[in-house]
Amino acid sequence: MREHSKKLSILLNTIHRRVFRIGPMFVLARFRSCRVSYSYLQRVRQSADRRRHQTPQSMFQPLSESFFEAIDADRSVEELRKDGISLHFDLPPALVNEIYNLACSLPLQNSVRSRPFFKSEVTEGGRLPDGQLVSLGTAYKSRKLQLLNHECVSRVVNDPVLLKVVSGYLGYWPKRLSDLELYWSYATGLSVEEQMRQGNAIDYHFDLHGYNFVMAAFYITDTDRTSGAHVMFKNSHKKKTLPMLFSYSQPADVLRRQYGSENETIIEGKAGTGFVMDNSTYHRATTPESADRLLLRLVYT
């Protein structure tokens, strides 16, 4: 009884801290009922705007042609609702090469190094000329939306089929990107603790990007379980227990008991492989060991 009271007290203190110190969004967005309600309100607002012949506020301008013509948008939305993920959003090789070359030309930063560096400076094992090891390198880390100035990225962001899937899942036309990242994950041999200190999300966790959100991600390098593949639990955007809702991460064995080991999914593929995922599913990156990984990530809200 005393142990139960202690756990309850810890949980209540966590809830109090996150509501009053971090903000209500980081609490409310954990609950599907809140996300569904937010979706409904945005849909009503945008419908009212259209009746007044006003264009809903949005940063997106869908293009006339899509990279994903083979995608059935309605089916992808259903897959997202059921499993939390939809696959086969694959980019053409020419565009992948453009994005790869862009990532090689831009200055990079990470959370433990303020001085920018370039991909060409990183030697095998993630070592810079001054001897520092880096596990991540992000382009435009403090000004990520500047990536939209590069056509190879903006064409993906404004792809009409991708936007149709995103809006179908959100339940309204997306307003903005809450995150836009082009970043390297290096094969360094660093400890798990040091990788996490540098921002490498290799533990199972779920994200909160706003009151409602969905992510699209694209491997720009060949990626498998030895080079940073994304791993997630299908269905884990639903049916979280209360302690899970108010905890950032969970051990793999807890998630296997909750969702079934058959739903633990490793996403591997050649350069260009893409997928759309509800980032409130439990997910993580594998540790790059055999090769560096380059990822383009977009989060729509």
Side-chain angles (χ1 to χ4, degrees), residues 110-131:
N110 71 14
S111 58
V112 298
R113 184 182 181 88
S114 58
R115 186 181 72 80
F117 57 94
F118 289 88
K119 175 66 171 69
S120 59
E121 296 181 75
V122 184
T123 61
E124 185 176 353
R127 192 173 297 278
L128 292 170
D130 62 7

Side-chain angles (χ1 to χ4, degrees), residues 15 32 51 60 73 119 121 128 131 136 149 180 201 229 231 236 252 263 268 281 289 293:
I15 294 172
R32 283 192 66 79
R51 285 197 299 272
F60 307 108
K119 175 66 171 69
E121 296 181 75
L128 292 170
L136 294 176
N149 295 329
L180 172 61
V231 191
S236 61
N263 284 315
E268 300 175 291
T281 56
E289 297 172 351
R293 183 196 72 172

Side-chain angles (χ1 to χ4, degrees), residues 163-202:
L163 285 170
K164 184 176 181 181
V165 172
V166 166
S167 61
Y169 185 65
L170 292 177
Y172 55 88
W173 189 254
K175 297 185 292 183
R176 64 185 182 90
L177 289 173
S178 69
D179 208 355
L180 172 61
E181 288 189 304
L182 179 62
Y183 68 97
W184 295 92
S185 300
Y186 300 112
T188 61
L190 288 171
S191 67
V192 169
E193 292 76 15
E194 179 59 23
Q195 288 184 65
M196 292 177 66
R197 190 177 77 86
Q198 293 199 23
N200 205 354
I202 55 177

Side-chain angles (χ1 to χ4, degrees), residues 26 31 39 45 77 79 112 129 155 200 232 243 255 264 266:
F26 287 96
F31 297 93
S39 174
R45 176 179 293 178
V77 171
E79 289 172 347
V112 298
R155 286 160 62 199
N200 205 354
M232 56 84 67
L255 298 175
E264 190 172 14
I266 302 176

Side-chain angles (χ1 to χ4, degrees), residues 255-268:
L255 298 175
R256 291 176 187 131
R257 286 197 300 270
Q258 178 74 5
Y259 300 108
S261 57
E262 69 278 8
N263 284 315
E264 190 172 14
T265 304
I266 302 176
I267 303 164
E268 300 175 291

